Amino acid sequence: MSPFKSKLSLNKKILLIIIFICSIMLILSATMITLYEWKKLKESLISNMTSITKITSGNIQAAVMFKNATDADRILSEFKSEPRIVNAGIYLYDNTLFSEYNATNERLPSTFEYRNNELTYEFKNGKLHIYQPVSIQGEGNVIGSLYIISSLDLIYSQIRDNIIITFLIILLALLLAVILTAKTQRMISEPILSLSNTTKKIKNEKDYSIRVDHDEFLEIEELSDGFNAMLEEIQSRDENLQRLATYDELTNIPNRNYFIDLLNQAITRGNRKSQRHAVLFMDLDRFKNINDSLGHSKGDELLIKVAKRLNIIIRGDDIVARFGGDEFTFLLRDLPSSNQAAEVADRILEVLNEPFDMDNHNVVVVPSIGIVLFPDNGNTPEELLKNADTAMYRAKNSGGNKYLFFTDNMNKEAQLHQELEEALRNAIYNHEFILHYQPKFDLHSGKSLGMEALARWNRPNNGLVAPNLFIPIAEETGLIIPMGKQILDQAISQTKVLIDKHIFDGKLAVNISARQFEDKDLLNNIKSLLEKHNLSPENLEIELTEAAVMNETEDAISTLKEIRDAGISIAMDDFGTGYSSLSYLKKFPLNTLKIDMSFIRDMDQSEENKSIVKSIIDLSHILKLNVVAEGIETEEQAKILTDMGCDVAQGYYFSKPLDFNKISEFFGSSKIALNK
Ligand code: C2E
Ligand code: MG
Ligand code: MG
């Protein structure tokens, strides 16, 4: 591995490289300079010493020739003024030392053989040795030799001084390099380091909101700007992804996943700090109708408006999320008491009960809310949401537009409900439904003029089950559609049998629930069944409740018209219990109003009810509608109704609902008079 790939920081690496390069350069140049100087000093020493030797050899010529030692000694002693010369000696022709000069304790050899005719020198033992023959001037005869030894100490000390100076220069240069490097680093490595530190931080913390500092140097600035732009892009993509993953695209409030996440966190905190939370599960009843009648884009618009209203009423710490479709969930954290959850639920009902303006249409949504408390009703999001959903269903089934707190009983009921649903599916498959028929009577003539088909479930091992116990579940689960077809089929075919026997020629009334009425195939199904059994549409009346037709009035009116145009009569069942808006009575193409039995029941005791019944009868006549009173149980009730001018009567007083055999017998025997 290259040393530069080690874990050293960029700063240190650059510093080391610069110091390394500077040192090599400085040492190289110092060595070259020193070598050059060494050479120059040596040359100068040689030149100086050879000229001194030559001059001295001339000067000692006479002394050697005449063997005048005093002169020779005197001449040599002059070398005292030349510190470089450490030894000097004059040798005679017979190689004996004739005169000598020693600046140190070292002595010259006493004999010395020198036979060259000219000056020679050599470096030996760290000294310069110069030999010069002494010859008689002009004659060329060598009479002796001069031997001078020069010390190199001076050169050495000069070189040493130089080396010290060079070393100091190197140190100074290195110091300068370090200072300069530090400065350079601020320009180059620091931004790079900051870039690398930022990258590391972003990688560790996954925080893309961090930015790199700007730098004054163009290239680095471009680099950091580019890096920042990239981060900006990543951050915005990240936020987008985050938003998509946690927020509902349509309503811009938290989605299911995020809600469950937050609920999980709240549960963890709740367990730690003994906090209580509440989860509200809300569903908008019959929202599908709004989608079907106004279109999906209007449905979406309505959901956005609903979400906005909900967002306004919750506290800062509470969460409202779109759980899916028309389901909304609320998380109320750290509740002082369950009352607070009830208060929020009250506020939700209040704000949603205000109609929504959709292109000048007033649209009302009907919320049903189930409430669970943490930790009382569950310890996990799944459990809490499941129980809240159960409570919501209970609220919905008991009419909607209300909230219910979850109770343990609800779970048992939910289980029963589940079992019942399963059994109903089988019942449809096995054709377990039978019909009872309750005759209707003309209050004026006493003649029976029609009958209402009422479903019973012949449940194996259970006997006959009343419709109130299975029709609502069939409604809720949609099973009412296949079940309704079977009922219609049976009612029409049995009625046809009675007609063919010439014992019945009135109208068969069949109850059609809201969900059936919404079914686009309803009329076609009825028509094909009439055709199949060859029954005239005039013999058929459908009974609808106010709730079934009140959903989307415009659509309902056109469906009702189509039914009427097909020759089928329409009765408004249980009149007076629902919306009872007078304006729709005028708009709807109805034939009959059936006064709800709750008014009839208390009529003999309550003057108020009596007046209501009277008003309904009068109103029906004004609107040219037949009026039927149902649930007549006493002679007294029958009498009052006859006096009030009611047209048709139905009730136990006249006849209970009868199975097919009994109704056949009933119509086969004589007509029953009013006063039995
Ligand atoms: P509804 O259409 O209002 O039917 C009248 C109900 O009142 C019947 O109850 C009938 O037995 C009962 N009744 C008639 N006379 C009297 C009386 O004098 N006193 C009392 N206390 N009750 C009387 P039932 O058969 O239990 O049906 C209950 C409801 O179930 C029906 O109310 C109707 O809404 C629904 N239903 C029955 N059969 C069908 C069906 O085939 N399809 C649909 N969609 N709903 C049905
Ligand atoms: Mg009915
Ligand atoms: Mg009724």
Side-chain angles (χ1 to χ4, degrees), residues 227-413:
F227 194 76
N228 283 344
M230 216 161 66
L231 283 173
E232 202 95 24
E233 178 73 21
I234 293 173
Q235 194 189 359
S236 98
R237 282 189 199 186
D238 208 44
E239 280 169 3
N240 255 345
L241 277 178
Q242 184 78 6
R243 209 163 169 86
L244 279 179
T246 52
Y247 277 77
D248 175 52
E249 235 182 314
L250 180 69
T251 54
N252 219 11
I253 59 176
N255 63 14
R256 181 198 195 103
N257 286 345
Y258 190 29
F259 183 83
I260 293 173
D261 245 24
L262 292 170
L263 181 55
N264 244 325
Q265 288 169 21
I267 289 172
T268 313
R269 214 185 25 237
N271 281 329
R272 215 176 45 235
K273 297 189 174 174
S274 304
Q275 290 177 343
R276 275 162 69 87
H277 311 305
V279 173
L280 279 64
F281 199 110
M282 184 187 90
D283 182 275
L284 302 177
D285 302 354
R286 296 191 293 275
F287 187 77
K288 189 181 168 294
N289 302 344
I290 295 170
N291 256 343
D292 290 347
S293 58
L294 299 179
H296 278 267
S297 68
K298 287 286 160 206
D300 285 354
E301 215 176 283
L302 183 62
L303 284 175
I304 294 170
K305 287 185 176 179
V306 167
K308 268 190 191 148
R309 283 195 193 174
L310 297 177
N311 236 340
I312 291 169
I313 55 162
I314 57 167
R315 296 180 310 176
D317 199 34
D318 298 340
I319 305 288
V320 53
R322 181 163 173 232
F323 210 65
D326 58 353
E327 292 169 342
F328 291 83
T329 43
F330 300 77
L331 172 59
L332 316 178
R333 290 180 280 204
D334 194 12
L335 283 190
S337 83
S338 57
N339 277 352
Q340 217 139 351
E343 278 167 24
V344 172
D346 270 326
R347 274 211 306 276
I348 295 170
L349 294 178
E350 198 182 314
V351 292
L352 294 190
N353 280 342
E354 278 291 309
F356 288 87
D357 178 27
M358 303 291 294
D359 295 338
N360 299 328
H361 277 79
N362 270 351
V363 176
V364 183
V365 294
V366 185
S368 297
I369 304 168
I371 306 175
V372 285
L373 299 171
F374 165 85
D376 319 36
N377 305 136
N379 248 316
T380 61
E382 296 74 35
E383 206 181 342
L384 288 166
L385 286 164
K386 188 181 133 275
N387 290 340
D389 186 56
T390 304
M392 183 278 289
Y393 261 100
R394 270 300 294 270
K396 192 192 272 269
N397 288 339
S398 52
N401 205 25
K402 64 166 70 151
Y403 62 85
L404 284 178
F405 277 88
F406 173 80
T407 62
D408 287 334
N409 254 347
M410 285 181 185
N411 256 345
K412 288 177 203 135
E413 282 162 25

Side-chain angles (χ1 to χ4, degrees), residues 455-501:
R456 306 286 180 261
W457 175 15
N458 192 7
R459 191 176 181 188
N461 310 321
N462 273 271
L464 286 189
V465 182
N468 291 342
L469 298 178
F470 64 87
I471 294 284
I473 298 169
E475 260 275 273
E476 191 190 309
T477 52
L479 291 172
I480 192 75
I481 307 284
M483 184 192 291
K485 267 188 222 161
Q486 286 186 10
I487 287 168
L488 263 168
D489 193 351
Q490 199 180 134
I492 291 173
S493 79
Q494 292 181 335
T495 305
K496 177 67 178 156
V497 172
L498 299 182
I499 289 176
D500 288 349
K501 282 188 182 168

Side-chain angles (χ1 to χ4, degrees), residues 597-650:
M597 67 178 83
S598 59
F599 300 110
I600 310 294
R601 195 182 303 135
D602 300 333
M603 214 171 44
D604 18 13
Q605 279 107 47
S606 155
E607 275 306 310
E608 215 172 62
N609 270 1
K610 213 191 255 180
S611 322
I612 291 172
V613 172
K614 175 82 176 96
S615 316
I616 298 175
I617 293 169
D618 292 346
L619 180 73
S620 305
H621 289 153
I622 293 167
L623 295 170
K624 303 205 167 38
L625 299 173
N626 282 324
V627 61
V628 179
E630 57 179 345
I632 301 165
E633 293 182 349
T634 65
E635 187 182 352
E636 173 71 8
Q637 288 165 350
K639 218 170 161 2
I640 297 171
L641 287 162
T642 316
D643 293 346
M644 280 178 177
C646 181
D647 308 311
V648 182
Q650 184 183 351

Side-chain angles (χ1 to χ4, degrees), residues 184-195 212-225 228:
T184 327
Q185 269 169 7
R186 218 165 297 139
M187 298 189 295
I188 301 160
S189 64
E190 267 185 13
I192 293 173
L193 273 180
S194 127
L195 207 69
V212 181
D213 291 339
H214 262 275
D215 201 275
E216 59 200 281
F217 297 100
L218 186 63
E219 289 81 359
I220 306 275
E221 190 185 341
E222 277 172 7
L223 186 67
S224 50
D225 280 357
N228 283 344

Side-chain angles (χ1 to χ4, degrees), residues 30 66-67 74 85 181 286 309-310 325 374 413 415 446 450 546 573 615 630 647 664:
F66 299 108
K67 296 205 175 46
R74 183 184 47 78
I85 296 172
T181 310
R286 296 191 293 275
R309 283 195 193 174
L310 297 177
F374 165 85
E413 282 162 25
Q415 203 183 333
E546 291 166 283
D573 205 353
S615 316
E630 57 179 345
D647 308 311
S664 305

